[in-house]
Amino acid sequence: MRGLLKNNANKRLMTSTILTTENAEWINFNWKAIENRVKFLRFRIFNASKRKDFLTARHLQELMLNSSANILLSIRRITALNQNVTGIDKIRTHLVHNLMTMDFSNYFPINYQNLTIPKTQRKQKILRIHILKDHCIQMIIKNALEPQWEAYFEDNVYGNRPGRCSHDAINHLTQILRKYPSKKWIVQSNFNECLESLNGQIILKRLANFPRVDLIFKWIKADYLSSHLYRALEAKLPQSNIITALLGNIALDEMDKIIKKNYSETTSRHFYVRYDDVMVLFCETKDEACKARELIIKWAKNINIKSSSENFSIEHITQGFNFLGVHIIPQVLDNITISIYPNQKAIQDLRSILKAIWMRGRGKDVQWVLNRLNPRIREWCNYYSFYKSTIIFKEIDNWMFQRSVRYCKRTHPNKSWAWMQQKYFGRFNAKKSSKWIFGDKESGKYLLRLTWTPVRQYIPIQIQASPDNILYQNYWSKRNSSGITNNRLWNISDFKIAHKQNHLCPICNSSLYNNEPIEKHRIIVKKSSKRLYSFSMIFVHVICYECVKLKSIY
């Protein structure tokens, strides 16, 4: 690789970057060694916690909290998610010098519930710096706390855990339905917006051995468990959810242990699945389901969670049930076949979002409409392409065609239908035979159809595999290189480009999907002295490309 040229992404980095001493210091960091150092400490914390060696785990957590590699990596992760903040380079330099010499005992978190947005731009900039600093401290604490609790969490818990997603939880449910057909009753609970009233002493007791439990106490006192933590959207403040999800999982882990005590340890993982604050418990009879519901309600009252009967429901599996945006219906014939469809709420939410975009696009350019519709369609299709969604995709495509005709008639009320057909419809996609594709003939952009999404098969994770377990290091490297953890690239051509580079960034050699923004660039390789060049596309992290560009200037 000789150089990175010509950015093909819509958002380009600034071409007039002035190389200062701070930028030179930032790009000279060995990010591969920094990430390996943090990963190695996470391995050691996980192994010590698995052995229940609490003194060693506490000592390693202190090393992680005082590690300069952990501080630098946390700053990189947070600033990468907030590249649109003005003056992010100077803010990043300020965070490096501030956090390296900071005494955490003098830290006081921001109270977002009583946050007032200043009117002047200077005070808003100071507020953004304080919020980013708060997010970096949360990430530093999370890197020390998360591997410890990864060793304690149950295997059937999937929400907000590294390497796990909602598809793994849905696949676990289907395995339960196939292996245990006698469990025909389910208890479904939803603690959404109920953790706000949680007694914080429960979390503090479970974190008594953590070196910086005083920061956890300050965050709980500042109401960081609230689901409406960040409300100040009008000032475009940085938005993030770093430590809240982990604290919620630690609080709900006590419920997992209580349910496990009432059943044998060998079968607990086979009938109980929890994703974040949504839980499904399988039972054989309705009486057993009622007892399990009473047990969960009793636990919720003891820790001051305000829950109602609407949060707990008992259903029979033959009627089907909703879980994480899908509707699961087991059909018992000769063998148990399970049908999984997008549920009605997910379809209605998608239609309302797309309809709002169509309505806001009245009188605006067609490119504005296409640039906002296509990402929503790709995201929705990427999630439901693992399930039986072909019929629903066709219905939404027909509805979208009607909306496109409506858009044409409202934008050009005095034009004929033949004129609209010639201007907006045609065979934009050469691989498809349809001549009724909505698009813009000047730019060549067109509206994607949901039926073009191919059906895929999801490969679930091994139930005991954790990215912090060194025994599964080769397993996770192979899984990441397969692209199954892709949560960014929804276009087939982009996925093929990433697959050629094994879904790794060629600069830092880490996964493309580590929650950092990525960009597509053109690479030029010189083959011989006759100035023959070959062009190919690659994906890199935004910060990695920035470092390469600044080094070339330097």
Side-chain angles (χ1 to χ4, degrees):
M1 182 175 62
R2 297 297 179 89
L4 291 172
L5 300 176
K6 194 174 180 181
N7 183 4
N8 291 333
N10 292 330
K11 295 182 180 179
R12 299 186 178 182
L13 294 173
M14 293 184 300
T15 57
S16 59
T17 304
I18 301 175
L19 184 64
T20 60
T21 57
E22 292 84 359
N23 285 330
E25 182 183 359
W26 178 259
I27 66 177
N28 287 329
F29 287 131
N30 189 351
W31 290 110
K32 187 175 180 180
I34 289 172
E35 191 167 355
N36 289 336
R37 173 64 176 169
V38 174
K39 188 183 295 185
F40 180 67
L41 283 175
R42 288 177 67 103
F43 285 157
R44 296 184 64 188
I45 294 172
F46 179 88
N47 292 333
S49 302
K50 202 73 174 176
R51 298 193 310 266
K52 296 184 179 181
D53 189 354
F54 303 111
L55 292 178
T56 304
R58 180 183 174 87
H59 175 66
L60 292 172
Q61 286 177 333
E62 291 177 352
L63 286 177
M64 177 70 86
L65 293 173
N66 298 323
S67 173
S68 58
N70 183 23
I71 296 174
L72 290 173
L73 188 63
S74 301
I75 294 173
R76 170 173 172 161
R77 292 283 189 265
I78 298 301
T79 54
L81 295 174
N82 297 276
Q83 282 292 320
N84 296 328
V85 177
T86 56
I88 190 65
D89 294 334
K90 294 182 180 179
I91 294 174
R92 184 171 55 200
T93 304
H94 172 76
L95 291 174
V96 171
H97 294 294
N98 193 352
L99 293 177
M100 285 290 186
T101 59
M102 180 181 178
D103 184 8
F104 288 105
S105 59
N106 298 327
Y107 161 74
F108 293 97
I110 300 174
N111 192 344
Y112 291 94
Q113 303 298 329
N114 300 326
L115 185 65
T116 57
I117 303 170
K119 295 182 180 180
T120 61
Q121 293 184 356
R122 182 178 176 275
K123 292 183 178 180
Q124 287 183 7
K125 184 178 180 180
I126 295 174
L127 180 59
R128 291 190 188 98
I129 295 174
H130 286 308
I131 292 176
L132 289 176
K133 180 181 176 181
D134 187 67
H135 291 175
C136 291
I137 295 173
Q138 292 182 42
M139 183 65 72
I140 293 169
I141 299 298
K142 183 179 180 180
N143 285 333
L145 185 62
E146 189 175 48
Q148 177 190 8
W149 284 91
E150 278 294 306
Y152 297 155
F153 286 145
E154 298 295 329
D155 297 332
N156 50 2
V157 177
Y158 292 93
N160 293 311
R161 293 183 60 185
R164 302 193 175 204
C165 65
S166 58
H167 299 297
D168 297 314
I170 295 171
N171 183 78
H172 194 163
L173 284 181
T174 58
Q175 291 181 0
I176 294 173
L177 294 173
R178 289 191 180 97
K179 292 182 179 179
Y180 302 97
S182 60
K183 297 184 181 296
K184 298 181 179 180
W185 291 89
I186 63 169
V187 179
Q188 195 166 11
S189 64
N190 189 354
F191 294 100
N192 188 20
E193 299 183 1
C194 295
L195 296 178
E196 298 179 10
S197 59
L198 173 67
N199 187 4
Q201 297 296 328
I202 301 297
I203 300 178
L204 295 177
K205 287 180 182 179
R206 311 204 74 187
L207 300 177
N209 294 325
F210 186 64
R212 301 258 36 132
V213 69
D214 55 334
L215 295 183
I216 307 295
F217 172 74
K218 292 178 182 178
W219 286 331
I220 294 175
K221 191 175 180 180
D223 201 11
Y224 271 45
L225 288 176
S226 174
S227 59
H228 304 287
L229 183 59
Y230 307 100
R231 297 176 179 175
L233 295 175
E234 56 270 16
K236 296 183 180 179
L237 298 179
Q239 306 291 308
S240 183
N241 182 3
I242 310 295
I243 200 69
T244 306
L246 179 59
L247 295 179
N249 269 337
I250 293 173
L252 294 176
D253 182 67
E254 186 179 8
M255 180 184 67
D256 303 336
K257 299 293 190 292
I258 291 174
I259 294 177
K260 188 175 181 179
K261 286 182 181 179
N262 288 271
Y263 299 90
S264 62
E265 295 183 357
T266 57
T267 60
S268 63
R269 67 185 61 164
H270 297 303
F271 64 86
Y272 171 57
V273 177
R274 181 171 68 83
Y275 185 89
D276 198 7
D277 51 9
V278 181
M279 184 267 292
V280 175
L281 176 64
F282 288 83
C283 303
E284 294 185 358
T285 61
K286 189 175 182 180
D287 294 336
E288 185 179 352
C290 293
K291 293 180 181 178
R293 183 177 64 175
E294 292 176 358
L295 179 67
I296 298 172
I297 293 175
K298 182 179 179 180
W299 170 83
K301 289 182 179 179
N302 290 335
I303 64 172
N304 199 24
I305 289 182
K306 296 180 181 179
S307 58
S308 60
S309 59
E310 297 178 356
N311 300 113
F312 305 96
S313 61
I314 298 177
E315 301 176 2
H316 199 274
I317 61 173
T318 55
Q319 301 175 358
F321 58 95
N322 295 325
F323 183 70
L324 299 180
V326 297
H327 189 67
I328 304 173
I329 304 177
Q331 300 174 355
V332 181
L333 298 174
D334 296 334
N335 295 322
I336 296 178
T337 59
I338 301 171
S339 301
I340 305 177
Y341 308 94
N343 60 16
Q344 293 298 321
K345 185 178 183 302
I347 298 172
Q348 292 176 1
D349 291 343
L350 176 67
R351 290 195 176 192
S352 61
I353 292 172
L354 297 179
K355 182 180 178 180
I357 296 174
W358 282 113
M359 298 298 289
R360 280 163 44 202
R362 289 182 298 180
K364 294 184 179 180
D365 188 26
V366 64
Q367 294 187 25
W368 185 93
V369 179
L370 295 174
N371 291 336
R372 283 155 180 78
L373 287 175
N374 285 336
R376 296 287 186 177
I377 295 173
R378 284 198 187 101
E379 182 180 5
W380 204 79
C381 293
N382 182 63
Y383 185 84
Y384 291 102
S385 61
F386 299 107
Y387 312 112
K388 296 182 179 180
S389 309
T390 306
I391 298 175
I392 296 174
F393 283 175
K394 290 181 180 179
E395 293 177 356
I396 298 177
D397 278 340
N398 295 332
W399 178 78
M400 288 291 288
F401 177 78
Q402 296 175 4
R403 297 301 311 184
S404 63
V405 173
R406 219 169 181 184
Y407 167 83
C408 296
K409 292 182 178 181
R410 288 188 175 184
T411 307
H412 307 282
N414 298 325
K415 297 293 182 179
S416 63
W417 170 243
W419 184 90
M420 297 177 189
Q421 178 183 352
Q422 185 178 2
K423 181 175 177 62
Y424 289 107
F425 295 94
R427 189 180 177 184
F428 288 94
N429 192 345
K431 297 180 181 180
K432 306 297 179 181
S433 59
S434 177
K435 297 181 180 180
W436 291 96
I437 301 174
F438 179 78
D440 182 22
K441 293 187 178 181
E442 294 181 0
S443 62
K445 295 182 179 180
Y446 54 90
L447 183 65
L448 297 177
R449 291 190 176 180
L450 284 75
T451 51
W452 293 347
T453 305
V455 179
R456 297 185 295 167
Q457 183 178 3
Y458 183 76
I459 302 174
I461 64 168
Q462 295 184 15
I463 192 169
Q464 296 180 346
S466 174
D468 294 322
N469 192 345
I470 197 171
L471 299 177
Y472 290 92
Q473 187 175 6
N474 293 330
Y475 167 78
W476 283 105
S477 62
K478 292 179 181 178
R479 183 174 177 83
N480 292 331
S481 62
S482 65
I484 196 65
T485 58
N486 170 35
N487 58 355
R488 299 283 183 86
L489 307 176
W490 302 312
N491 195 358
I492 297 176
S493 60
D494 291 344
F495 184 84
K496 289 181 180 179
I497 294 171
H499 193 68
K500 288 182 181 179
Q501 59 190 78
N502 293 327
H503 300 271
L504 299 175
C505 178
I507 300 173
C508 64
N509 201 23
S510 61
S511 175
L512 288 173
Y513 319 117
N514 59 356
N515 296 326
E516 290 187 9
I518 58 177
E519 284 185 348
K520 183 167 61 173
H521 294 271
R522 178 177 293 176
I523 180 174
I524 301 177
V525 181
K526 186 176 180 180
K527 286 191 172 182
S528 64
S529 60
K530 297 180 180 180
R531 295 184 179 181
L532 296 177
Y533 298 94
S534 63
F535 300 88
S536 61
M537 307 301 295
I538 61 171
F539 281 99
V540 294
H541 294 127
V542 172
I543 290 185
C544 293
Y545 174 70
E546 183 181 358
C547 293
V548 169
K549 189 173 69 172
L550 290 175
K551 283 183 179 180
S552 64
I553 298 174
Y554 183 74

